[in-house]
């Protein structure tokens, strides 16, 4: 059970959809426009009856199931204020329709675009919502009689290209969600590498994977240090897509691929430790974006880099107090083996700076519990070196509804990660400003003058957001859509 919903655009004959099922929107002014009037007539005035009974209010989040005279089904979804309709509202509405169809075991639905909102952005959002909203993670239920998946959806009156693009983007988000939801014994570094290789097959993405021996010899002492506590083979994965002009500098995406974080010798408490299977969600962002790129084939240069290992304890594990030497020869004093994400990213960021001439570097990591304290599960924490890159990221955040909030990287914070006996230490001072301490540490592995932004997705990568296009307790795939918007694919 992991077939994704297929979505396509249609421009005529929506009436045929009444044999199956149809969905259409209503604003909170409750006026019946010609679309609603037409469907109302075909349903034997069933919409009017629901309106006069006060069941349909046109509010956001509302989905009303209406059964017409001949048993045909329509879903009327609320769109709120007519003047305030946004792509995010439509995405949430189409996802709500998908969820209603699944609970009613409806195989296929036609989603009618609102008459006054049929542009590209709206079409893309409607398609994204249908696919994201119908996502379910059922891989490990061996005998699941209750399970039901929708097979297809049509969007009536959208912009075809944008509908197709939205479907590809959302299916890439679902691909990442599948990887992220898989537990640590399945989604190992080898599993991530295999998935990268699958993306490269029959596409223009070139994948290189370095194993423990290779990356250790190359000088990645920080990744090697974290990986020393596990026999599960660690990997350093590189995905290169060079379809832009040779003169164009590559954009580099780095993702934390920590497939299970026990904390190592500085072991975590037992409660919720299972959630540390999600500690590879940063790599999920990179794999999701690269998958979308491999299908949409934009003319640009993008490189994905994933340092991947488990963080385990044992007699081979690295210790608090150890000093590691990263790829750029900087030394790191390890004060807590649970601050391992920044260590494996240190090697990846310095590898990116040395081996490419990046236009910019973005990194994605479930880096700190502190970002959940600061922003909850509502937003991703960002910080970086280039105000104009950050401004573009905030713009893409607005476009996609994936919220970000910027933290400062002032010199005072950079001082807090200086070590007395090595170049830097992997903890800040006194547990203060934990998220910024993580960012400040990473900054010392980004070469001077390189444009870079760090995304701390520890709160947004999974959790309890009450959005119809996400499922509580399940991976969200957040910031994949934001990055695709930023790349202008
Ligand atoms: N993977 C965790 C961060 C995390 C914690 C993500 C909770 C999501 C929920 C990271 O490796 C970690 O353990 N960070 C430590 C850093 C600390 C030791 C400086 C943390 O946040 O407690
Ligand atoms: Mn940790
Ligand atoms: Zn971690």
């Amino acid at each position: 059970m992991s077939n994704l919903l297929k979505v396509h655009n249609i421009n005529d004959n929506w009436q045929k959809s009444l044999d199956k099922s149809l969905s259409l929107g209503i604003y909170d002014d409750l006026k019946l426009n010609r679309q609603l009037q037409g469907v109302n007539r075909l349903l034997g005035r069933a919409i009017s009856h629901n309106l006069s009974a006060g069941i349909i209010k046109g509010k956001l989040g509302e989905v009303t199931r209406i059964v017409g005279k001949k048993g045909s089904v329509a879903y009327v979804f609320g769109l709120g204020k007519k003047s305030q309709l946004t792509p995010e509202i439509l995405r949430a509405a189409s996802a709500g329709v998908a969820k209603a169809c699944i609970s009613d075991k409806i195989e296929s639905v036609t989603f009618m675009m609102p008459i006054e909102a049929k542009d590209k952005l709206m079409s893309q959002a409607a398609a994204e919502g249908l696919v994201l909203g119908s996502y379910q993670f059922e891989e490990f239920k061996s005998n699941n009689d209750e399970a039901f998946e929708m097979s297809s959806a049509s969007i009536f009156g959208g912009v075809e290209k944008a509908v197709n693009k939205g479907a590809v983007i959302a299916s890439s988000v679902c691909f990442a969600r599948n990887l992220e939801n898989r537990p640590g014994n399945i989604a190992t570094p080898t599993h991530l590498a295999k998935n990268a290789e699958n993306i490269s097959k029959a596409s223009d993405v070139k994948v290189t994977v370095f194993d423990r021996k290779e990356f250790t010899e190359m000088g990645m002492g920080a990744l090697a240090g974290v990986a020393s506590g596990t026999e599960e083979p660690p990997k350093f994965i590189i995905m290169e897509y060079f379809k832009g002009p040779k003169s164009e500098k590559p954009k580099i995406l780095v993702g934390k691929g920590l497939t299970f974080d026990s904390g190592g010798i500085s072991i975590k408490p037992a409660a919720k430790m299972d959630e540390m299977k999600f500690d590879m969600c940063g790599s999920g962002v990179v794999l999701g974006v690269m998958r979308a790129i491999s299908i949409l084939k934009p003319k640009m240069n993008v490189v994905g880099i994933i340092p991947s290992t488990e963080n385990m304890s044992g007699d081979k594990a690295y210790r608090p107090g150890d000093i590691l030497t990263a790829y750029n020869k900087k030394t790191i004093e390890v004060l807590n083996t649970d601050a391992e994400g920044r260590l494996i990213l240190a090697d990846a960021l310095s590898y990116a700076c040395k081996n490419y001439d990046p236009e910019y570097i973005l990194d994605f990591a479930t880096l700190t519990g502190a970002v959940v304290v600061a922003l909850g599960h509502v937003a991703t924490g960002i910080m970086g070196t280039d105000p104009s890159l950050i401004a573009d990221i905030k713009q893409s955040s607005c476009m996609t509804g994936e919220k970000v909030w910027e933290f400062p990287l002032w010199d005072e914070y950079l001082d807090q990660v200086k070590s007395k006996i090595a170049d830097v230490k992997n903890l800040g001072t006194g547990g203060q400003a934990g998220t910024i301490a993580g960012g400040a540490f990473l900054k010392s592995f980004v070469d001077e003058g390189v444009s870079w932004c760090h995304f701390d997705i520890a709160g947004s990568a999974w959790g309890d957001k009450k959005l119809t296009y996400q499922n509580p307790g399940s991976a969200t795939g957040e910031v994949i859509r934001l990055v695709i918007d930023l790349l202008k694919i």
Side-chain angles (χ1 to χ4, degrees):
M1 296 287 285
S2 60
N3 298 324
L4 284 173
L5 175 71
K6 295 195 175 41
V7 182
H8 61 274
N9 191 61
I10 55 172
N11 279 316
D12 50 16
N13 266 338
W14 62 264
Q15 287 86 349
K16 267 199 183 158
S17 307
L18 270 180
D19 305 341
K20 300 180 271 175
S21 63
L22 190 75
S23 63
L24 73 172
I26 189 164
Y27 296 103
D28 66 2
D29 60 13
L30 301 182
K31 286 199 181 120
L32 293 189
N33 58 19
R34 60 181 157 77
Q35 199 179 60
L36 284 153
Q37 281 170 19
V39 176
N40 192 29
R41 215 173 301 121
L42 289 165
L43 289 172
R45 297 186 47 77
I47 296 178
S48 302
H49 297 320
N50 276 273
L51 276 172
S52 40
I55 294 169
I56 295 177
K57 298 190 179 71
K59 294 238 158 64
L60 295 183
E62 177 187 295
V63 180
T64 311
R65 180 177 203 250
I66 294 177
V67 182
K69 273 191 179 145
K70 290 176 201 138
S72 46
V73 177
Y75 293 94
V76 177
F77 51 87
L79 284 172
K81 296 247 168 307
K82 189 171 180 176
S83 58
Q84 289 172 15
L85 184 63
T86 59
E88 172 67 3
I89 287 174
L90 203 62
R91 187 179 296 112
S94 66
V97 167
K99 286 221 169 2
C101 289
I102 288 171
S103 85
D104 295 343
K105 298 205 183 326
I106 301 267
E107 284 263 338
S108 170
V109 69
T110 295
F111 182 90
M112 297 182 83
M113 291 296 289
I115 291 173
E116 48 287 295
K118 296 184 169 190
D119 63 8
K120 279 192 210 162
L121 287 176
M122 291 288 182
S123 305
Q124 185 181 325
E128 287 171 356
L130 287 165
V131 177
L132 296 176
S134 63
Y135 174 79
Q136 302 173 83
F137 184 67
E138 308 276 354
E139 253 176 50
F140 295 100
K141 290 189 178 167
S142 60
N143 186 11
N144 193 6
D145 298 338
E146 292 293 289
F148 177 83
E149 280 184 3
M150 285 180 81
S151 59
S152 68
S154 311
I155 290 181
F156 174 73
V159 178
E160 185 165 331
K161 259 193 156 174
V163 166
N164 295 342
K165 182 177 170 187
V168 169
I169 293 172
S171 76
S172 299
V173 173
C174 294
F175 162 80
R177 286 177 177 179
N178 277 339
L179 290 174
E180 295 168 2
N181 282 324
R182 289 179 192 139
N185 63 329
I186 310 281
T188 58
T190 305
H191 183 79
L192 298 184
K194 272 195 190 131
N195 274 274
E197 276 153 6
N198 278 346
I199 291 172
S200 96
K201 272 181 210 152
S203 88
D204 293 311
V205 177
K206 186 182 146 226
V207 170
T208 309
V209 180
F210 295 122
D211 64 17
R212 189 195 302 262
K213 187 166 172 283
E214 289 166 325
F215 69 66
T216 305
E217 280 170 11
M218 288 161 71
M220 298 191 191
L223 174 59
V226 176
S228 60
T230 181
E231 282 187 23
E232 185 62 51
K235 305 283 176 194
F236 188 85
I237 306 163
I238 303 166
M239 306 177 78
E240 293 175 310
Y241 178 85
F242 282 103
K243 295 301 272 182
K246 282 220 165 63
S247 59
E248 188 193 288
K249 293 178 173 190
K251 298 161 177 90
I252 305 206
L253 313 175
V254 174
K256 173 179 175 184
L258 213 293
T259 55
F260 183 72
D261 182 10
S262 71
I265 299 287
S266 316
I267 197 163
K268 287 184 179 294
K272 291 196 180 179
M273 205 206 267
D274 60 298
E275 292 189 353
M276 287 300 116
K277 68 180 174 191
F278 290 125
D279 212 17
M280 38 61 74
C281 284
S283 68
V285 173
V286 174
L287 285 157
V289 173
M290 295 309 287
R291 180 189 180 272
I293 286 177
S294 74
I295 299 169
L296 296 170
K297 304 184 197 306
K299 297 226 174 313
M300 57 170 61
N301 300 329
V302 185
V303 178
I305 300 180
I306 297 170
S308 182
T309 180
E310 299 184 323
N311 183 25
M312 304 301 253
S313 55
D315 62 335
K316 300 278 178 352
Y318 77 134
R319 293 153 287 256
D322 282 2
I323 294 178
L324 307 173
T325 304
Y327 185 76
N328 67 354
K329 302 281 190 285
K330 282 199 186 180
T331 55
I332 307 166
E333 183 187 11
V334 177
L335 289 177
N336 187 316
T337 63
D338 197 12
E340 84 299 336
R342 63 199 70 183
L343 299 175
I344 70 172
L345 290 173
D347 281 335
L349 291 169
S350 36
Y351 182 90
C353 291
K354 185 162 179 215
N355 294 280
Y356 300 94
D357 179 17
E359 178 175 334
Y360 55 71
I361 304 177
L362 311 177
D363 79 70
F364 313 97
T366 46
L367 207 72
T368 64
V371 81
V372 192
V373 177
L375 302 173
H377 294 291
V378 176
T380 295
I382 58 167
M383 61 211 86
T385 52
D386 176 356
S388 98
L389 173 63
I390 301 260
D392 290 348
I393 289 167
K394 288 178 180 169
Q395 167 71 18
S396 292
S397 166
C398 290
M399 295 301 287
T400 54
E402 298 192 313
K403 294 190 173 67
V404 298
W405 192 255
E406 186 185 359
F407 292 100
L409 276 182
W410 292 315
D411 290 347
E412 288 89 335
Y413 297 115
L414 302 179
D415 289 343
Q416 293 185 4
V417 295
K418 287 187 179 148
S419 161
K420 288 207 179 79
I421 57 170
D423 297 332
V424 285
K425 56 186 167 77
N426 77 337
L427 281 190
T429 303
Q432 297 159 18
T435 299
I436 301 178
F441 177 94
L442 295 178
K443 186 172 182 285
S444 48
F445 296 90
V446 177
D447 286 357
E448 204 58 43
V450 173
S451 182
W452 157 77
C453 180
H454 162 57
F455 291 67
D456 193 333
I457 57 170
S460 52
W462 79 95
D464 60 359
K465 244 199 223 177
K466 305 213 168 19
L467 284 170
T468 45
Y469 57 78
Q470 297 181 352
N471 298 337
S474 176
T476 60
E478 255 192 67
V479 310
I480 292 176
R481 291 189 298 104
L482 183 157
V483 173
I484 290 173
D485 184 82
L486 180 75
L487 292 172
K488 299 195 188 72
I489 295 173

